[in-house]
Amino acid sequence: MSNEHHHAAEGEYIPETYIPHPETHGTKTLWRVFFILLFITVIDFAIYFIAPAGLSRNIVFIALGLVKAVLIVGIFMHLNYEAKFLRWMIALPAAVFISYLAWLLLLEGSFVSTY
Amino acid sequence: MSNSATVSSKTWAGGRSPFNVSYGKLMMWVFLLSDAFTFSSLLVGYGAIRFSYSGSSTPWPDPSAIFNHFPFAHGYYLPLLFVSLMTFILIFSSVTMVLAVEAGHRKSKAEVSKYMIYTIIGGAAFLGCQAWEWTQFIHEGGRLDTNNFGITAQGYEHLKEAGKFGNHFEWMAGDRQPGPVPFASLFFIVTGFHGFHVLSGVVINIIIWLNVIYGTYERRGHYEMVEKVGLYWHFVDLVWVFVFTFYYLI
């Protein structure tokens, strides 16, 4: 590195300018995910009118929402194909803190009264 | 670089990116993680406030009693139909966005440009829908500090009788009274915060599209900026999945 006019050699790592070579997975999976998302939305719509309102229906809606979220983040946002450390750095804090918030709501929610 | 093989075998030993992404993309992920916390706090707050009204004399209104309009079908009871259309628009603009990213990997400028245009149109259409939804709600008396949708027992009885999907439905006198104010304020805050994300997404998409057609990324040799704005755009779609679930379905 003593040479001031040093140029980046092929494959040398410079953090500020590093761009990994993009990998293509084709468009087939993308369209399949689109149709799955569409199908789940139609299922949501159908359940809303078929099933009576209540806890079990809400659990189904939240579960279907989570399936949609996993598909969007994993395939559309490409996280499934990213490096292991990136996957965990994003997924773990989100899962831990958001489920903690939801758990607090379920635990403390009935003690709050605003009316 | 004779020792490159031994160096790259250790993820954190330097000489390589442990996350194997560019700096900009890594920072976009970190930003989106923080934004996910913001939206989850808003939705959990919504849940807590809504929950606190259970058993109240002015109960939290049923969303389908309010958001049941569709453009050009005035007076008809069509709950969930319009928001489902909005969901479809956003999912479609998501798939065109990811197709633009894929075309960028192949360095196909014409295709990236085409799919970016579709995505921008989808985002603008979603914003138009949201403007219509807000106009409808404001027209019926929803304000940040007012909610006309405290639906009385008589109102729910009337809705149960006449509120069949596709039927003509109008509220009668005595069906509604002032209801929980947070219902209206949280509607404006949460959908407004999401809509503002969509608006900024559309603006950023337009800027990136202009760079595509001016050949900025062709000269740069890669279309990574399209991937970054794509991440943001998919996140906006992701948030809508949960707004749709917690606002309109539950």
Side-chain angles (χ1 to χ4, degrees):
Chain A
M1 290 291 194
S2 56
N3 182 359
E4 284 194 358
H5 302 288
H6 176 82
H7 289 284
E10 186 69 31
E12 192 185 344
Y13 174 59
I14 299 164
E16 290 81 3
T17 55
Y18 173 72
I19 309 269
H21 193 72
E23 35 175 330
T24 349
H25 303 281
T27 55
K28 210 176 136 191
T29 320
L30 306 179
W31 281 110
R32 191 183 295 154
V33 168
F34 167 73
F35 283 113
I36 295 172
L37 291 174
L38 198 60
F39 180 70
I40 296 176
T41 306
V42 172
I43 294 286
D44 274 337
F45 192 83
I47 291 175
Y48 190 81
F49 293 103
I50 295 166
L55 182 64
S56 45
R57 193 179 82 170
N58 292 348
I59 289 171
V60 170
F61 283 146
I62 293 170
L64 289 174
L66 289 174
V67 172
K68 283 191 254 187
V70 166
L71 285 171
I72 291 170
V73 177
I75 309 293
F76 281 1
M77 294 171 90
H78 211 257
L79 196 63
N80 274 5
Y81 311 105
E82 300 290 0
K84 186 177 74 180
F85 285 106
L86 181 63
R87 287 207 305 269
W88 282 106
M89 187 191 84
I90 300 302
L92 200 63
V96 168
F97 284 107
I98 295 171
S99 44
Y100 177 59
L101 273 174
W103 177 68
L104 279 183
L105 165 70
L106 294 171
L107 190 71
E108 305 282 346
S110 56
F111 294 104
V112 185
S113 180
T114 51
Y115 65 85
Chain B
M1 300 295 273
S2 57
N3 60 344
S4 65
T6 50
V7 169
S8 62
S9 66
K10 294 188 189 91
T11 308
W12 298 96
R16 59 175 287 184
S17 162
F19 300 113
N20 199 32
V21 279
S22 69
Y23 175 78
K25 210 164 152 185
L26 186 63
M27 290 304 112
M28 179 54 94
W29 270 113
V30 172
F31 163 69
L32 293 181
L33 185 62
S34 73
D35 225 17
F37 292 146
T38 310
F39 273 108
S40 55
S41 311
L42 276 174
L43 285 174
V44 166
Y46 167 82
I49 291 171
R50 180 175 171 170
F51 200 29
S52 75
Y53 276 88
S54 53
S56 155
S57 56
T58 52
W60 197 262
D62 185 350
S64 66
I66 295 157
F67 306 110
N68 52 27
H69 306 285
F70 201 83
F72 309 114
H74 181 74
Y76 290 93
Y77 182 72
L78 298 164
L80 210 62
L81 194 63
F82 191 57
V83 274
S84 297
L85 175 71
M86 287 165 78
T87 308
F88 170 73
I89 290 170
L90 214 52
I91 292 174
F92 192 75
S93 81
S94 246
V95 78
T96 56
M97 182 78 241
V98 79
L99 289 171
V101 171
E102 197 272 337
H105 290 162
R106 291 185 279 108
K107 297 195 171 71
S108 165
K109 182 179 156 183
E111 275 186 81
V112 177
S113 166
K114 179 181 80 179
Y115 287 125
M116 288 295 291
I117 291 172
Y118 290 164
T119 309
I120 291 162
I121 291 172
F126 181 87
L127 284 172
C129 290
Q130 202 160 43
W132 191 86
E133 177 109 322
W134 275 42
T135 310
Q136 191 68 38
F137 188 58
I138 293 167
H139 181 72
E140 298 206 25
R143 298 284 186 280
L144 264 178
D145 59 352
T146 321
N147 172 23
N148 280 348
F149 286 95
I151 295 159
T152 58
Q154 178 204 317
Y156 275 118
E157 202 58 41
H158 177 205
L159 191 68
K160 211 172 156 187
E161 261 170 46
K164 298 277 182 292
F165 192 82
N167 272 12
H168 199 78
F169 181 80
E170 298 274 0
W171 293 110
M172 295 189 303
D175 279 357
R176 296 187 303 172
Q177 64 190 27
V181 171
F183 177 85
S185 19
L186 280 164
F187 172 76
F188 287 121
I189 290 166
V190 178
T191 64
F193 202 57
H194 175 263
F196 187 67
H197 275 74
V198 179
L199 178 68
S200 13
V202 170
V203 171
I204 300 166
N205 271 335
I206 289 171
I207 294 168
I208 301 296
W209 173 67
L210 288 174
N211 274 314
V212 170
I213 58 170
Y214 289 153
T216 310
Y217 307 130
E218 208 166 44
R219 283 193 296 278
R220 199 177 283 176
H222 58 79
Y223 282 79
E224 232 232 355
M225 282 308 284
V226 179
E227 286 185 44
K228 281 180 241 176
V229 74
L231 283 180
Y232 181 74
W233 191 253
H234 296 312
F235 177 76
V236 167
D237 184 26
L238 176 71
V239 169
W240 179 255
V241 163
F242 289 103
V243 173
F244 176 69
T245 303
F246 290 108
Y247 253 88
Y248 297 102
L249 290 176
I250 290 179

